Structures are given as structure tokens and as C-alpha cells.
Amino acid sequence: MPIRNILNKTSDWLGGDGPHHQIVVSSRVRLARNIQGVSFPGWAKKMERVETMERIRPQVEALPEMGDAFSLPCQELSALEKQVLVERHLISREHAARGAGSAVVMNRKQNLSIMINEEDHLRMQAIRSGLQLKAAFKAVNKVDTELEASLDFAFDPNLGYLTACPSNVGTGMRASAMVHLPGLVLSEQVNQVIQAVNKIGLAVRGLYGEGTEALGNLFQVSNQTTLGESEEQIIERLQKVILQLIEHEQNARLSMLQHRPTTLLDHIGRAYGILKHSHSMASKEALNLLSLAKLACDLEFYPEAWRVAVDELFMETQPAHLQKGSQQKLGPEDRDVLRARIIREKLAECPSPAGEAVLSRIPKAASTKRKKAAGDDLLEG
Amino acid sequence: MLCDVCKTANASVFLTQIVDGKMQKVNMCEACSKERGVTDPTAFALADFLQGLGGAQEVEQLGGGQPQQKCGTCGLTQMEFKKTGRLGCSDCYSTFADGITSMLSGMHKGSSHTGKVPERLAKRIERDRLLKELQQHLKKAVAEEDYEEAASLRDRIKELEVVV
């Protein structure tokens, strides 16, 4: 299948219909595997990398899951195409930078993607919408089992699956959930919560993984360690923490509605005004304002029908996605202008946020919520 | 002295922590130290941080300080491992086993794998485990001069070894 068919179709998991989808955008599980006795991609010579790729790729393409797959060596993808895949979290930024000897195979639904010769020989990833870590693991685990019949994976009875970086050894699994936490950010509790999550051995990162900023109030929560616990235990632990994060976020939102409604309405109203009327908008600003629009959808300030538009804009306003839809090469300023236009047009008919109407339905701070600091119970768990 | 994180600015924050009897040091510039939350020592675990740096300092202790030690399969030297924090191939795990084991214990929840095992290895691993167990029993039986038990154990071990 040609790449443009993939690029022109939105990813299946962006549909936003998974459990807890208001707060958990997506769940991903990635497995790292290597071929026994063959140099890891970072150390192998180009020739070796090409050989390994030629050995692995046909096996991956032959998977029943990949019946309608798109499969290409990295050097046959343009920089723009790679960037679009990065923005959709289908390949890593590191993989996008790789050339000869690396490849990417993904299914039509774009919920299963396999990178060949990233940091490890195989990085297999399943993505689902909402909180579906178990389903994502099941999908990627099946692929792993199918591949191990024909590929000799490096495995040590004591250390488990062997990986290029010792931090992935064991299960080779990284499970992560992308969570949208505007309530905790606005109420300035998010750092406290992140620290608590860190202390129990989970990592919290920005939108595009390690070392990236938490734009649009989006955070990725994932397991930090891979050795000493089974896959199921890791996922169970992560799942529990995510459920607690959801509760904290919901409490923070309710508390804002009850105690600081003016601040909340002001943030959402200003976001609405700027999104609908600006003529130039940087990517960062767009993500942060769209985050407020998404929050407003969750709080029923907008009719439910607008949720899809807002969710789509998160992806459509990313730099490579803007360029993809355009005929000529766009500079950063052109992109900002185009971004503002796309948002204006998409939200043209969106009514003003019905904040007051929603607030009138909220019980006035009747129940004093348990006055526990956010994050405390995470530590107890 | 340059900052260990950004490697551009001069280091002005020097942090030393002793964890599990091992001393670890990090030098940072002011901006990086703020960014990593080093100003609040209670919330800052040096070990986590070192892990983020690819365990550079830990790697120094690998293999009893023989920087020229080389993996027979892929040719990676200890020096190169130290530089990148990445191994060269799956056999490096046995080449540099000593250092890696101590490195892993500081990095992970446990020191042995309890998760999935590839199907084709599952049988062999189970057999190896059983073999080890029987050999221990055999030793014990011999020590206790229980020769009847020892003979039966020896036969079972032989049987298992034939399957190889």
C-alpha cells in the first residue's frame, strides 16, 4: 500500500472512543527485541544493518496483522513523511533520523507499527485509544509470539530479553499512556503529582517522549524499569496509577468549577476567542489553547459534536501535517498563518462556551472533598 | 569543569550521594540543576538522574577497570560501552557480565527476569533448571552417603542430558 494512503487517513486510535478517553488520549505498549549474536543497530556496520533488515522485514510483512501493511525502508521516506509519522507517534524521532538499513512497517489502521533497526533490531508497538493498556499489550504480544517462531531472539534465562540499552533489558517493554491533565496544571498541582508518580518508579514525560516539553497539558506516563516484574505486573501497576491520575484530574476540575469558576471561565473564554479570531498562531500556542478547548468539551461547555473537531485539530495543526496539506513549501511564518486559518475555519460555527449554564448545574461546594494533597495516595499504592 | 548534562556551561553545582555504599558524583551548571530539581535534595534521586545520563559514572566500574576488554562476537570494547551506554550485541551481556549485573541492580526493580519466555526456549530453560536442582540433590545425597538415592538421581540426570 502506498504511503500517501496511510498519511491521508487518520490513525484509528485518534478516534477517541476508548475507555476514559476524555483524560487518557491513548495507550501504547512497545516491545524491544534483538536477533541473537548479531550486532545491535547502533554498533553494526551499514552492511550488517542492511542484512539484518532484509532478514527481518519479510517475516514482519508476513504477519497476519500486516496483511494490508505499508512497509518501506527509511531512506525511501521523505523528511516530511517521516515527520508526519513522528507526529502521529508511529515512529520515534530517533528512527526518523535513520537512513539505510532501517525500515518501518505499519498496518492500515495505524494501530500497529514495527520499526526495524531503531536502537534495537525490532521495536514493535501497538496503540489504542483511551485507557487500553491490556488490549495494546495483547496485540503486540501476539505479534512477538508469531515472530519468535521464525526469528532467533536474544534471550537470557536470568536477564530476559537482551537490548542495546541495559535500561530496557528484561521484558523489553515500555507501556505508556498519554494523559490530558489541564485541571491539575491550572490548579498548580501537577508537579506534585508528577513527583509522586516518579517516586514509585514510573516516568512522566512530555508530548514526544524523553526530554520534550509537556505541551497542551499532555503527559506520557510509562514504566521506568523492565527487569524484575512480569509484563502483566508492570501493566497492572501502571493501570492503577493512571486510574488514580484520572481521579485526581477529575477532582481538580470539579474543584475549579466550585471554587474558582471565574478563573476557569476566563481561561476557556479567552482560548475560544483567540482560536476563533487569530490570524497567526505558533504550534505551542495552538496546543495550549486546544487543550483548554478540549477541557471545555469535557465540561460540556460546548455541544458534544464539537469534540471531534477539537481532537482533530490537535493533529492537523502539527507542523508536518500542515505542510502535508499544502502545495508549496511553507516557512514557519506561513505555517502559523495556515494553522490559524485552519482553526478559524474548523471552529467557525462553534458556539460560545456555555459556562454559566454548566455552572448553574454544579452543586455549590457542598461536599468538602477530602483535603488530601494530590499525589499522596499514589505513594501509598 | 563542564556541566555533565548540557556539556556547554561551566559546572557550579556539585552533587555527591552515597547509595548502597557506592559514591556517585554529578557536576552541573546552574540552569541544568534547576531544570532537574536539584535544588530540592529530598526530591532528587541521583541514581535516577545517572540512569538518564546513560549510567556514565556507573559504567566506569565495569569489568574491574579494563578498558580494553573486548566482546568476542561484535568487537565492542568496554571504553565504547562507557562512551555510549549502549552494548554492541547480545553476547556483550556475558562479556561484560560483572559490571552489567551491578549496573542493572541500581536501574531496575529486580535483578532477574520474571516475564515472558520465548516458547522454543521455555522447554530448555525448564530442563536446565531441573538439571541444576537434581545435581544439587545428588551432591547432597552423596554427602549423606545415600547411595541408592544418588544412583537414581544420576540416572535421571543422564536421561535429561541425552535430550540435548
Side-chain angles (χ1 to χ4, degrees):
Chain A
M1 177 164 56
I3 173 85
R4 50 166 207 287
N5 290 7
I6 289 261
L7 297 183
N8 290 336
K9 208 172 151 280
T10 47
S11 305
D12 178 57
W13 52 271
L14 269 172
D17 49 5
H20 301 287
H21 70 266
Q22 291 195 351
I23 292 174
V24 185
V25 178
S26 63
S27 301
R28 288 192 288 155
V29 177
R30 176 220 83 190
L31 296 177
R33 296 290 184 258
N34 288 284
I35 309 294
Q36 171 68 38
V38 176
S39 293
F40 296 142
W43 178 243
K45 304 261 180 324
K46 187 176 158 188
M47 271 263 290
E48 279 179 279
R49 282 206 309 274
V50 172
E51 263 170 44
T52 318
M53 183 189 83
E54 281 169 358
R55 185 165 150 201
I56 297 175
R57 205 170 132 209
Q59 307 295 340
V60 172
E61 288 172 351
L63 288 166
E65 285 85 354
M66 291 298 187
D68 54 359
F70 136 79
S71 163
L72 263 189
C74 281
Q75 75 269 25
E76 287 178 32
L77 284 164
S78 70
L80 175 65
E81 289 163 343
K82 286 183 195 173
Q83 194 52 39
V84 169
L85 296 177
V86 170
E87 288 175 1
R88 290 186 191 177
H89 298 274
L90 293 169
I91 65 173
S92 62
R93 287 186 300 175
E94 292 75 12
H95 202 58
R98 286 177 189 264
S102 295
V104 51
V105 184
M106 64 187 64
N107 67 352
R108 192 185 178 81
K109 279 182 162 176
Q110 301 171 49
N111 60 16
L112 180 69
S113 88
I114 298 184
M115 290 178 268
I116 302 174
N117 280 339
E118 204 242 26
E119 184 182 281
D120 295 295
H121 292 141
L122 276 161
R123 287 271 174 112
M124 313 177 268
Q125 163 187 275
I127 318 183
R128 293 289 181 273
S129 125
L131 183 60
Q132 297 195 69
L133 290 164
K134 284 173 195 170
F137 172 66
K138 206 174 146 198
V140 75
N141 188 43
K142 181 166 175 281
V143 167
D144 176 55
T145 305
E146 282 157 357
L147 284 176
E148 75 179 24
S150 55
L151 296 170
D152 197 8
F153 289 150
F155 183 87
D156 175 271
N158 191 38
L159 292 180
Y161 291 96
L162 303 176
T163 51
C165 182
S167 64
N168 292 318
V169 88
T171 57
M173 182 182 82
R174 189 79 62 214
S176 70
M178 171 100 68
V179 286
H180 182 230
L181 306 176
L184 288 171
V185 173
L186 286 174
S187 58
E188 292 170 3
Q189 296 179 76
V190 78
N191 285 331
Q192 210 178 340
V193 169
I194 288 175
Q195 276 176 13
V197 173
N198 281 336
K199 275 190 188 149
I200 51 176
L202 297 174
V204 183
R205 303 195 168 98
L207 184 53
Y208 287 102
E210 222 158 328
T212 60
E213 243 181 307
L215 294 170
N217 302 321
L218 290 164
F219 300 85
Q220 285 187 61
V221 185
S222 65
N223 60 308
Q224 182 90 269
T225 63
T226 51
L227 184 63
E229 278 177 300
S230 71
E231 289 83 354
E232 288 78 11
Q233 284 170 319
I234 294 173
I235 284 177
E236 191 60 41
R237 202 156 60 86
L238 184 61
Q239 171 101 5
K240 267 192 197 156
V241 170
I242 303 287
L243 287 172
Q244 280 174 319
L245 275 180
I246 293 172
E247 204 190 313
H248 280 303
E249 171 64 19
Q250 277 163 344
N251 285 346
R253 290 178 183 188
L254 185 62
S255 163
M256 291 275 296
L257 281 170
Q258 285 175 334
H259 304 291
R260 295 167 62 201
T262 313
T263 316
L264 187 65
L265 288 185
D266 188 53
H267 277 301
I268 289 174
R270 281 167 187 271
Y272 175 80
I274 298 170
L275 286 168
K276 274 194 82 150
H277 299 291
S278 86
H279 282 258
S280 170
M281 192 181 293
S283 169
K284 192 171 163 177
E285 185 184 12
L287 280 170
N288 290 333
L289 295 175
L290 286 169
S291 163
L292 288 165
K294 189 171 164 66
L295 172 66
C297 285
D298 295 347
L299 298 175
E300 295 171 19
F301 284 21
Y302 298 123
E304 181 62 22
W306 287 94
R307 177 181 300 283
V308 183
V310 171
D311 281 345
E312 281 173 358
L313 281 173
F314 268 94
M315 196 53 82
E316 286 169 6
T317 56
Q318 298 278 307
H321 277 78
L322 287 176
Q323 178 64 64
K324 177 175 74 77
S326 175
Q327 300 303 320
Q328 63 270 45
K329 179 95 187 75
L330 301 172
E333 278 154 39
D334 306 325
R335 276 205 303 269
D336 291 351
V337 170
L338 178 61
R339 181 177 294 117
R341 198 180 79 213
I342 288 177
I343 295 173
R344 274 200 325 271
E345 285 171 2
K346 195 141 188 162
L347 299 180
E349 306 293 322
C350 182
S352 302
E356 282 85 357
V358 171
L359 283 172
S360 64
R361 296 201 298 269
I362 300 285
K364 282 275 171 298
S367 63
T368 36
K369 278 265 159 198
R370 57 201 170 103
K371 204 63 195 145
K372 237 171 162 184
D376 277 1
D377 56 339
L378 287 170
L379 285 172
E380 286 159 21
Chain B
M1 189 183 292
L2 285 183
C3 167
D4 287 339
V5 182
C6 60
K7 305 210 162 53
T8 48
N10 263 325
S12 59
V13 177
F14 308 97
L15 204 73
T16 306
Q17 228 178 36
I18 297 178
V19 181
D20 298 334
K22 257 184 287 174
M23 189 162 72
Q24 297 173 315
K25 283 186 187 174
V26 173
N27 312 312
M28 272 181 279
C29 67
E30 202 173 324
C32 290
S33 75
K34 272 210 184 112
E35 195 182 309
R36 307 268 171 159
V38 182
T39 40
D40 177 12
T42 51
F44 180 79
L46 191 56
D48 296 346
F49 178 72
L50 285 173
Q51 201 174 317
L53 280 180
Q57 270 80 346
E58 284 263 1
V59 181
E60 268 174 46
Q61 308 168 343
L62 279 184
Q66 301 163 10
Q68 294 315 317
Q69 195 184 355
K70 208 171 187 176
C71 173
T73 308
C74 70
L76 185 91
T77 63
Q78 173 146 307
M79 282 279 275
E80 276 141 349
F81 177 32
K82 194 176 128 184
K83 210 163 61 194
T84 62
R86 303 288 186 276
L87 292 155
C89 72
S90 50
D91 294 338
C92 288
Y93 278 91
S94 40
T95 312
F96 308 111
D98 297 345
I100 289 176
T101 313
S102 72
M103 184 176 174
L104 289 176
S105 70
M107 211 178 237
H108 291 285
K109 275 221 150 186
S111 55
S112 55
H113 180 58
T114 58
K116 185 177 183 178
V117 174
E119 234 168 82
R120 93 198 129 74
L121 288 180
K123 268 192 194 140
R124 210 178 76 203
I125 288 166
E126 175 57 21
R127 198 209 59 197
D128 289 351
R129 195 190 57 77
L130 190 65
L131 212 54
K132 236 187 197 164
E133 206 179 285
L134 289 174
Q135 272 154 352
Q136 271 169 0
H137 283 303
L138 177 63
K139 250 190 199 161
K140 202 173 144 220
V142 171
E144 289 168 358
E145 301 187 10
D146 184 350
Y147 295 116
E148 204 174 315
E149 172 73 4
S152 107
L153 284 168
R154 186 201 57 206
D155 292 345
R156 284 182 66 196
I157 289 172
K158 264 193 183 157
E159 247 170 64
L160 277 173
E161 278 174 344
V162 170
V163 193
V164 178

